[in-house]
Amino acid sequence: MTKPSSYSINRRLTGLFDTDDISVEDQDLLEYGQDWTRFYKPDPSAVVFPRNAQQVRDLVELARKDHLGLVPSGGRTGMSGGACAIDKEIVVSFQKMNAIMEFDRDDATLTVEPGVVTANLQQRAWDEGLFYPVDFGSSGSSYIGGNIATNAGGIKVLRYGMTRNWVAGLKVVTGNGDLLELNGGLVKNNTGYDLRHLFVGSEGTLGFIVEATMKLTGQPLPASVVLLAVPNMSDCLKILQVFRKGLTLNAFEFFSDNAMEKVLSVSEFSRPIDTESPYYVLLEFERSDKTALERAEASFAKCLKQGLLVDGIIASSEQQNKQLWQYRERITESITSRTPYKNDIAVRPSQVPSFLRAIEQVTSRYFPEFEIVWFGHIGDGNLHLNILRPEDWDVSSFKTACDELNHHILDLVSTFKGSVSAEHGIGLLKKAYLPYTRSEREIDLLRNLKQVFDPDSIMNPGKLI
Ligand code: 2HG
Ligand code: ZN
């Protein structure tokens, strides 16, 4: 890959883009050259803001000719370094391709450009009397293109699945410069390999999404949030079984008490329930009929009687629902200053308790001084393991120690036949760990696929494989 100076790249790009749509300013290079991962130093040579698919194709052509790396950039809320440009690449920001192009009521779809902020898509669906259900803490800044490229998950996967389930059609520009139109919004299309799904979760390594048609569904019924104090992690799944009998659950999340403490320390909030407990479960159920609340109360009483929980609260208003969600959604922000080393791992839900215990043992054997904050989508078997940097450690020694520890952690992921990335993707951060989840032969095949769509390795080079 060529590593052009900002001056020379600027000159080459001016033939393709208006000067307003190119930047080599230090501030922009810094801002657009990284996502939420804090372990990499951004070092792109330029940032461009295409306004249409043809400009993306022209850019790919230039990149192929001049051996330039291209890094796609959305809302930059990723946590695996998938949108970091650290080696003089050109950052391709989709910020200016942010139109909601078409709503189709009969098909219940929205066709959008990749730079549409997830929350704007959700809002537009809602305004049309429909619902886009994929949701997460960063919906207010993440872009739909990035959601698709990483197959984003979130807090409602238990009920609605991941982003992949909602992609009805895609237009992509591949590393060959081809513009592919994939599936075109069809509900049924059994015509062999579904290339659309190859691009979902491909992290920009095969091509860039320039348009997407997203499926919508009916608006959900009102819901209520329940927060439960749970002494033993292994009881979370028993609680899930009790509550899901007779109730439709939208979410089933958990977090540890130190996660709760961190949120309290960065907010004005007080403890939502008096009893402190090592773990908390936050669940949301749909009030599908008049008796749903009674069934939830009965489930609560049953769990209490069986000693699965010691305290809890059922929200009694929409405002209280929102408030309770805050204890879960503000965890990420509350630990940022401790440069958390993140693992976003999955095992089968039934394996979560023994897996969690095994990880705690291995961490305290090698680094007893490390504090772990646990939270995640336990109903999906997805744990967010955040190891906090001790205050007196510098970032680089901390990362080196965690990289070393991670081999032990990921040995456990292998043993439990889990995944090294449940929803955040591989990017740069998890690349070395792919073999813990994918066989050597499988990785070879991924490489071959990459070669087909991106023969010159210009599309998000160095990421994923
Ligand atoms: C969440 O579930 C996100 O809140 C972020 O996936 C997880 O900060 C994390 O590790
Ligand atoms: Zn998550």
Side-chain angles (χ1 to χ4, degrees):
M1 213 59 34
T2 324
K3 297 183 183 175
S5 68
S6 288
Y7 171 73
S8 93
I9 199 69
N10 200 5
R11 208 166 25 83
R12 279 179 269 178
L13 290 169
T14 36
L16 305 181
F17 294 90
D18 279 353
T19 43
D20 281 357
D21 297 339
I22 309 170
S23 176
V24 291
E25 297 295 319
D26 286 348
Q27 183 55 32
D28 287 338
L29 298 182
L30 196 66
E31 191 179 325
Y32 289 90
Q34 66 182 330
D35 57 19
W36 276 357
T37 325
R38 282 295 167 262
F39 294 120
Y40 304 102
K41 194 173 162 293
D43 190 21
S45 56
V47 187
V48 291
F49 301 90
R51 290 180 184 264
N52 54 54
Q54 188 53 47
Q55 276 185 321
V56 179
R57 294 183 80 181
D58 294 343
L59 180 64
V60 166
E61 199 178 304
L62 174 76
R64 291 190 75 182
K65 187 165 62 69
D66 288 3
H67 303 287
L68 306 167
L70 304 177
V71 175
S73 173
R76 302 182 306 282
T77 56
M79 291 179 170
S80 298
C84 288
I86 57 173
D87 204 14
K88 297 285 173 209
E89 305 92 330
I90 301 170
V91 173
V92 186
S93 167
F94 287 96
Q95 190 172 306
K96 294 184 181 174
M97 286 177 71
N98 63 356
I100 297 186
M101 299 162 72
E102 193 191 342
F103 166 65
D104 192 308
R105 189 168 297 284
D106 293 331
D107 291 340
T109 54
L110 271 173
T111 297
V112 297
E113 289 188 311
V116 169
V117 171
T118 315
N120 294 346
L121 175 83
Q122 292 168 335
Q123 187 58 51
R124 177 64 191 270
W126 193 265
D127 293 344
E128 299 292 355
L130 291 166
F131 185 49
Y132 180 70
V134 183
D135 193 20
F136 23 74
S138 58
S139 296
S141 40
S142 75
Y143 291 3
I144 190 65
N147 295 176
I148 298 168
T150 57
N151 187 25
I155 51 181
K156 302 257 168 84
V157 171
L158 183 78
R159 170 99 193 257
Y160 296 104
M162 314 266 282
T163 300
R164 180 185 301 286
N165 296 9
W166 301 92
V167 180
L170 282 183
K171 282 191 192 164
V172 296
V173 173
T174 70
N176 288 308
D178 295 328
L179 176 68
L180 301 181
E181 299 196 25
L182 305 173
N183 198 58
L186 295 176
V187 178
K188 291 184 150 183
N189 181 14
N190 270 349
T191 49
Y193 314 129
D194 193 334
L195 296 181
R196 157 189 54 158
H197 285 301
L198 201 52
F199 283 87
V200 179
S202 64
E203 302 185 23
T205 59
L206 305 177
F208 296 165
I209 295 157
V210 290
E211 192 183 297
T213 298
M214 306 306 291
K215 278 186 249 185
L216 309 177
T217 188
Q219 290 185 347
L221 296 167
S224 290
V225 173
V226 180
L227 185 70
L228 306 169
V230 182
N232 298 307
M233 170 71 196
S234 53
D235 289 335
C236 291
L237 292 164
K238 295 185 192 145
I239 295 172
L240 173 59
Q241 280 167 33
V242 174
F243 272 87
R244 86 172 150 204
K245 214 169 166 187
L247 288 170
T248 300
L249 298 184
N250 293 338
F252 193 88
E253 303 276 312
F254 96 114
F255 49 94
S256 51
D257 189 50
N258 61 345
M260 165 81 88
E261 270 169 12
K262 306 285 184 241
V263 172
L264 297 177
S265 73
V266 297
S267 65
E268 308 285 283
F269 306 161
S270 49
R271 279 191 177 269
I273 34 189
D274 294 336
T275 320
E276 284 181 34
S277 184
Y279 300 101
Y280 299 91
V281 160
L282 183 148
L283 65 89
E284 187 180 281
F285 68 93
E286 193 169 77
R287 292 206 307 278
S288 45
D289 57 50
K290 280 202 211 99
T291 58
L293 187 59
E294 283 162 30
R295 292 200 299 280
E297 282 163 357
S299 301
F300 181 88
K302 187 169 177 186
C303 292
L304 196 63
K305 192 160 164 226
Q306 291 179 6
L308 306 178
L309 52 91
V310 287
D311 201 352
I313 179 173
I314 302 184
S316 57
S317 64
E318 186 48 35
Q319 200 202 336
Q320 207 179 4
N321 279 346
K322 287 203 177 105
Q323 174 63 28
L324 289 181
W325 265 116
Q326 296 274 304
Y327 292 96
R328 164 65 181 85
E329 290 200 318
R330 291 191 64 178
I331 300 171
T332 297
E333 153 205 346
S334 73
I335 54 179
T336 308
S337 65
R338 300 280 298 276
T339 338
Y341 189 88
K342 288 178 183 296
N343 264 305
D344 160 42
I345 39 198
V347 290
R348 282 182 297 134
S350 58
Q351 303 295 303
V352 166
S354 30
F355 179 63
L356 184 144
R357 261 193 310 276
I359 289 186
E360 285 192 330
Q361 275 163 11
V362 88
T363 307
S364 62
R365 175 156 12 113
Y366 290 97
F367 293 100
E369 64 274 56
F370 285 0
E371 180 186 356
I372 295 181
V373 169
W374 286 107
F375 60 106
H377 321 285
I378 191 171
D380 313 323
N382 178 186
L383 300 175
H384 293 309
L385 159 65
N386 279 254
I387 305 176
L388 305 191
R389 178 179 53 81
E391 314 265 13
D392 53 346
W393 282 50
D394 66 72
V395 173
S396 135
S397 352
F398 175 61
K399 174 154 190 303
T400 308
C402 287
D403 284 344
E404 190 189 309
L405 171 65
N406 229 22
H407 286 287
H408 300 288
I409 292 179
L410 297 180
D411 272 340
L412 289 170
V413 173
S414 267
T415 312
F416 280 79
K417 297 199 183 315
S419 169
V420 299
S421 177
E423 57 175 7
H424 295 172
I426 295 295
L428 283 174
L429 194 66
K430 304 294 169 197
K431 190 174 148 184
Y433 306 127
L434 199 56
Y436 286 91
T437 298
R438 302 288 201 115
S439 70
E440 216 174 288
R441 183 65 193 125
E442 227 182 328
I443 295 175
D444 265 356
L445 291 169
L446 297 187
R447 279 212 186 89
N448 293 347
L449 279 173
K450 162 102 175 151
Q451 181 66 24
V452 169
F453 289 96
D454 179 26
D456 303 294
S457 294
I458 53 167
M459 304 306 261
N460 217 1
K463 314 290 165 42
L464 185 56
I465 41 173

